[in-house]
Amino acid sequence: MADTSTPWGQRKVIDETADEWQKIQTKTFTRWCNVYLKERGMAMTDLFQDVNDGTNLLNLLEIIGKDTIQSICGRKFYPSAKCKMDIHKLENNNLVIDYLKKKELKLVNIGSSDLKDGNLADGKEGLLLWCRKNTAGYRNVDVQNFSRSWTDGLAFCALINKFRPDLLNFEEAEAMDEMSRMKLAFDVASNQLGIDALLDAEDIVGNAKPDEKSIIAYLSLYFAKFASLAQQDAMADAIKRALAITMHHEELCKLYEGDSESLLSWIRVQTDKLTPEALEKIDSTPSIKLIIDAMNDYKNTVKPTKQQALAATEAVLANLHLSQRNNERPMYAPSVEIENLETEFNTLDKAETAYTTESLNLLDAFEHTDYNLQRFSNKIVKVEEFVGTNTPTFTSTDHGDSVSSCSEKLKKCNLFELQEPKYSQMLASCRDFVVSCNDRHAGTAGAKSQLEACTTSLNALLDAQKNFKEQVSLQLEKENELSALREKYDNDVNNFQFALFEWEEALMEPVSLCNNVDSIVQVISRSEEVANQISAGEADLVKLEEMGSELSSNNIPLDTDVREVRNIFDEAKNSCGGRMGELQDAKAAQEAKQAARVAFAAAATALIEYCTETSRMTVSLTRRMSMTPESQAEKLSVLWESFNAEGNPLLESVETTSDAQNLNKIYVNTLTTQTVFSCRLVHAECIKNLKDSIEINAAHILAQSQGAEMSAEQAREIREAFDNFDKDKSGGLSFKEFTDGLQGMGLVIGNDEAESEFKKRDVDGNGVLSFDEFAGYILEQFQSGTSESDVLNAFSSLAGGKGVISVNELNQYFAGEVKNLDYINSNMKGEDDAKDYTGFVKEVMFRI
């Protein structure tokens, strides 16, 4: 090893290093030239010796320049076989210079891709940005230059892993030593990716400062390869987006079909349940109350969820149709139309109304039957007691053995005859009560049997009494004393007690049975009449008290103490005032309830009608294909403002009137089928549908204005490239900055095409592109449509222009996309090496 402590030794080391760099560069560019010369079956072994006759250089220029020497210089060059003389070699080399001048090419530190694409700019910075961006995030990789950043092989491994992770495991490579790692990267690049090895691992590993130009030349081959792969990935992404739309449409179709059929089945089953025949076996007030409670619970909990499900199902179909229109797909025709569901729902509403009305009518009939049966029971007991009390007397064979006993017995007969019409009338009232009872009530049949038995007993008693009186009358021929006063007293007391009983019963009529204002008014009228009768009865009672006092003073025993009658009478008289107050309060309560029912029904109807009309207008706007999205947005905005101004106050009115119903303890409102819960749901669904339509419309307008979607990540990358190459921070890119920026974004574009695109977008002709102009071009390059023609072009590109594509190609471009691969393999016909992608696109992807 040379001694570097002397000037001579230091110079020797520098010379040795320069010689080494020259060898590496010579080898690198010899291999680079051979990458292109092999197209014509040519190769160079000595870079300097093999170019002296100009034939290799001229062939190389024709390959990378894409124009023949004759078309540019106007004449042919001498082939190697004829180029024997120096003059011939000199002319060939002059053609090289002439060709370069006319093509305006400079061989100054350019990579193979720059020469291949005819790029006049120095692509070093663009290539460095591309390498840095695609190795970012890899551990221990920090690309800052084209020399020391590549010596450990990690940067090469990171680039390969970034684009083809299936070929190289970065973690495994990281664990290797530098030489093994570098050889692994070069072997994979050469054998798996077809990137010619311009360098050997020994040229870089262990080299303090590898040759920058050689590494740039080698990395340019990586850029050309992976930029092509990126474009193919973009084509694959276009297919993925179209597949995603197709599968999304299939999911929406399946969801709509399942939900609509389930909802239709539920509606029909529920409608069949809510028939008058379902109430035929109900025979008591508690059982019909359970039915009504269950119906209220159904309206407040079950039905609102189904109404919400209907709205959600409508939204699914609307979203599907909107997506199909936006993506130019055939419109889906459902087996169950929304209109059918709405018609079935209306039928269910009618069935609910009829069922509820029948239930309430039956409850009213049963409650009145309960009351009539109670009154029947009270009266029939009196009649039965009357019959039971008198039957032993008038069926007895003892007709008396003295004047007093005969008179007593005859008095009983007379008293019976006086009392009997009242009890017969009471029995007739019992018959009227039974007739008024509902035959479906469980207690009606028993009451009829009891009435029949009591009627038979009373008729038998009448016959017995008649016969008994005739027998007593025969014994009463000698009876000439009759206590008229006692007889009259007993009769008057009995009459008064009977009247008192009727008054007490009338005053006991339950207020709870009065379910409306008219019924309570009728009870008030009857109660006022009873109060007047009681007031008039005071004089009759005074007479009875006078008669009782006289009889007692003559030591005549009395069956009824008039003082007891007085006590009962006074209690009845004193209760009249409280009774009238109670009735007036009940009347006021019924009037308040009726007002609350009417107010809630009106508020609910107004809200439902408004929300229904708003929803109809929303759907109509979103389905109107002739209207521009901007016009739709304007009308939807007006509709939203109108809803905020009118719809929300209507809901507040519903809430207020509902609170009033709750305050008045109204649990069933027969004036409407709506509840506060159903109104809230309808209002909320109306808001949701309107908001969804506004948001979908806004997204559609944005997409139309840009012609495509731009993600936040795309915008960030484009801005980074623009700012990086805007060297003078002028806010615009020159042509050179524009081409460097394209390379930094990973776009492969020829010089002529770049110049054409630059001029086309430089509208004002100032030689500078703004950010919007630059971003518009970049987005165009990244955007791939999802129309049928776009997808067919994407498949054709992936298949290399062939009309069929192989399974291996699909696996390569859709690596890691298990769901997409499974879908394609399941639906694309053909053998593994010849899959028919045209039929798949037309018959499967774009059928919906």
Side-chain angles (χ1 to χ4, degrees), residues 84-101:
K84 303 298 184 181
M85 303 174 65
D86 288 343
I87 188 63
H88 294 156
K89 296 179 182 179
L90 182 61
E91 289 184 8
N92 276 354
N93 285 314
N94 286 334
L95 283 176
V96 171
I97 302 301
D98 188 32
Y99 185 91
L100 291 175
K101 288 181 179 180

Side-chain angles (χ1 to χ4, degrees), residues 592-760:
K593 285 186 177 183
Q594 184 64 15
R597 291 190 186 98
V598 172
F600 177 78
T605 300
L607 176 65
I608 295 302
E609 289 177 352
Y610 183 82
C611 289
T612 301
E613 177 61 17
T614 300
S615 296
R616 184 195 68 75
M617 293 175 66
T618 301
V619 173
S620 176
L621 285 174
T622 56
R623 291 181 178 178
R624 194 173 296 172
M625 301 297 292
S626 61
M627 183 179 293
T628 65
E630 290 75 11
S631 297
Q632 288 180 342
E634 180 180 352
K635 292 186 178 296
L636 286 171
S637 177
V638 172
L639 194 59
W640 175 254
E641 293 176 358
S642 174
F643 188 85
N644 286 331
E646 300 177 31
N648 293 336
L650 287 176
L651 179 62
E652 291 175 1
S653 178
V654 169
E655 296 286 355
T656 301
T657 54
S658 176
D659 291 341
Q661 283 195 135
N662 295 335
L663 186 63
N664 285 280
K665 297 182 179 180
I666 297 173
Y667 305 113
V668 177
N669 190 335
T670 58
L671 301 180
T672 180
T673 61
Q674 301 297 334
T675 67
V676 68
F677 303 101
S678 63
C679 288
R680 289 171 184 165
L681 282 176
V682 170
H683 180 271
E685 282 301 318
C686 187
I687 289 178
K688 180 180 182 298
N689 291 339
L690 187 53
K691 281 186 176 179
D692 288 348
S693 297
I694 291 173
E695 291 174 0
I696 291 173
N697 178 266
H700 186 46
I701 291 175
L702 180 60
Q704 281 191 339
S705 68
Q706 295 183 349
E709 296 180 359
M710 181 188 294
S711 68
E713 180 63 20
Q714 286 178 323
R716 185 192 65 75
E717 289 187 2
I718 295 173
R719 188 76 221 187
E720 177 186 347
F722 183 87
D723 292 341
N724 184 69
F725 291 101
D726 181 16
K727 300 298 185 181
D728 55 2
K729 304 304 178 185
S730 62
L733 298 182
S734 64
F735 175 71
K736 180 181 183 305
E737 291 171 337
F738 171 67
T739 55
D740 288 345
L742 295 185
Q743 189 171 17
M745 292 301 298
L747 293 176
V748 180
I749 180 171
N751 186 66
D752 293 340
E753 182 182 353
E755 184 175 2
S756 174
E757 289 294 336
F758 185 87
K759 291 179 178 179
K760 181 172 68 174

Side-chain angles (χ1 to χ4, degrees), residues 57-67 69 96 99-100:
L57 280 179
L58 290 168
N59 277 279
L60 180 64
L61 289 176
E62 285 188 336
I63 294 171
I64 64 177
K66 294 183 172 55
D67 290 310
I69 300 298
V96 171
Y99 185 91
L100 291 175

